Amino acid sequence: MTAPNTPLRYALIGAGAGIAHTHLAALAQLPEATVVGMADVQREPAEARAAAVGCPFFTDHRAMLDAVRPDVVVITAPHPFHPDLAVDAFAARAHVLTEKPIAVEVAEADRMIDAADRAGRLLAVSFQ
């Protein structure tokens, strides 16, 4: 695990979602957090958010994961996409914070948990 107050590199998948701005505002308050990339299949408003933060924008989350190698991935995409996005993030050796609900089906949530366990990474679900 990472020591407390260790700088962490964050990436957002689903950066155009309405809740993404809340996550970005929270990260901006953490001196040890840096947003290193954002991805969304739709450019607007995600690309503008990435520009405002000063990080690269991607329409392909896998390309983002490869390019920026984040420590933590925040998933704000619609919940039917959470399992596949989380599994990809764990394969990239990142921890995952996903918006609620974790998934649509229990089996999908179990797949996410198994992927986190195999990767030795944390999976958390945000409940504001």
Side-chain angles (χ1 to χ4, degrees), residues 63-96:
M64 179 194 66
L65 293 169
D66 287 341
V68 304
R69 309 305 290 173
D71 299 305
V72 181
V73 172
V74 178
I75 299 174
T76 58
H79 56 275
F81 301 105
H82 291 181
D84 289 338
L85 297 172
V87 167
D88 288 345
F90 291 130
R93 307 294 299 156
H95 301 285
V96 171

Side-chain angles (χ1 to χ4, degrees), residues 80 82-84 87 102-115 118 123:
H82 291 181
D84 289 338
V87 167
I102 187 171
V104 176
E105 301 289 333
V106 172
E108 294 170 330
D110 288 342
R111 184 165 64 102
M112 294 167 71
I113 294 166
D114 289 343
R118 282 192 312 277
L123 169 62

Side-chain angles (χ1 to χ4, degrees), residues 14-28:
I19 196 64
H21 76 279
T22 302
H23 286 275
L24 291 170
L27 289 170

